[in-house]
Amino acid sequence: MPATLASAEPRRARGRPRRLTPEAVLDAALALFEDEPAAEFTLGRLARRLGVPITSLYTCFPNRDALLDAAADRVFARFDWKPEPGTPWTAVLLSWMHAVQRHFERYPIAQQLLTWDRRISPAWLRVLAPIITLLHEQGLRGRALVQTFSWLNSGTIGLIMSHAYNARHQARPALGAAELAADGEGLGAQLEFWSHVNELDHEQSLDAGFRVLVAGVAAALPAPKR
């Protein structure tokens, strides 16, 4: 079950004016993100939710990016991952991928705070930094380092998002198997595929996908490091 990131706030006495604090603003922003995409977030919407003038928000955060950065800091401060010393790099990488998946599962809002307006969240960069260092330690440099990390990061996030969707929805074709194999060939393959597609163990499938990515990283390393 997704965890809440809002901090508990003491009940106010009736008629007592609300004291706007950075924590209260963050609580409201995180609650807003549960209803609307963070990419569409504006200070005006947040001010209306809080019932305060938009200028009041500037006493807590100088601008939209600063508030989003603070929200991401709160979300990713709870990222729980620390590999044991001496663990093989492949196992370290695999454990990091599973840790990201667990974090996104517990805090779905985290996926909204990776990037916005083509800007990568500093808090997410701190989560990524150990993996960039890990790849560098394996001998990847320059363009090869950037390219390998880029598809590793994209592949990891893509697998996690696909896993989350598939775990909630059963797969079914929009067309019948005969229509999918309209030329008459491949009908057996279509029937076999769609008769077993919902027997998939999603956790095993996710782990298998992660391992394929790790194997791809290994293949990209300079020859002496493989």
Side-chain angles (χ1 to χ4, degrees), residues 87-137:
T87 304
W89 74 266
T90 51
V92 170
L93 181 54
L94 189 63
S95 71
W96 177 84
M97 297 160 96
H98 279 290
V100 172
Q101 187 271 329
R102 289 192 301 271
H103 191 76
F104 285 2
E105 187 175 71
R106 188 174 184 190
Y107 304 109
I109 198 173
Q111 295 183 44
Q112 297 195 51
L113 294 169
L114 304 180
T115 65
W116 58 84
D117 301 337
R118 300 180 63 84
R119 177 177 182 272
I120 302 177
S121 157
W124 176 235
L125 284 174
R126 289 192 289 272
V127 174
L128 298 176
I131 302 307
I132 296 174
T133 300
L134 180 68
L135 299 184
H136 190 269
E137 291 172 349

Side-chain angles (χ1 to χ4, degrees), residues 7-71:
S7 60
E9 191 176 75
R11 185 182 296 275
R12 293 180 291 123
R14 181 172 296 180
R16 180 183 173 187
R18 181 170 189 170
R19 178 173 174 265
L20 201 62
T21 65
E23 285 298 309
V25 173
L26 275 180
D27 289 345
L30 290 165
L32 183 62
F33 298 156
E34 294 178 2
D35 303 324
E36 302 177 9
E40 299 176 8
F41 167 76
T42 67
L43 293 180
R45 291 183 184 180
L46 181 59
R48 286 193 294 273
R49 190 180 187 98
L50 284 165
V52 299
I54 191 171
T55 52
S56 299
L57 300 181
Y58 293 111
T59 65
C60 299
F61 297 97
N63 52 50
R64 174 178 179 267
D65 281 344
L67 197 157
L68 287 169
D69 282 344

Side-chain angles (χ1 to χ4, degrees), residues 205-224:
S205 178
L206 180 65
D207 182 69
F210 285 165
R211 290 177 184 276
V212 168
L213 288 177
V214 173
V217 172
L221 299 182

Side-chain angles (χ1 to χ4, degrees), residues 80-91:
D80 183 19
W81 177 74
K82 188 174 182 180
E84 292 292 330
T87 304
W89 74 266
T90 51

Side-chain angles (χ1 to χ4, degrees), residues 107-204:
Y107 304 109
I109 198 173
Q111 295 183 44
Q112 297 195 51
L113 294 169
L114 304 180
T115 65
W116 58 84
D117 301 337
R118 300 180 63 84
R119 177 177 182 272
I120 302 177
S121 157
W124 176 235
L125 284 174
R126 289 192 289 272
V127 174
L128 298 176
I131 302 307
I132 296 174
T133 300
L134 180 68
L135 299 184
H136 190 269
E137 291 172 349
Q138 304 317 306
L140 288 171
R141 299 289 186 272
R143 183 180 298 176
L145 173 62
V146 174
Q147 181 176 352
T148 303
F149 173 78
S150 179
W151 64 253
L152 171 66
N153 180 40
S154 299
T156 299
I157 300 302
L159 284 170
I160 290 172
M161 293 178 68
S162 177
H163 167 268
Y165 180 86
N166 291 335
R168 295 193 305 267
H169 302 87
Q170 282 201 332
R172 56 189 180 89
L175 301 174
E179 295 170 295
L180 290 168
D183 59 0
E185 296 183 7
L187 179 58
Q190 295 295 330
L191 289 170
E192 182 175 352
F193 177 85
W194 289 107
S195 64
H196 293 283
V197 69
N198 288 310
E199 298 173 6
L200 189 67
D201 184 313
H202 296 294
E203 294 299 328
Q204 288 184 1

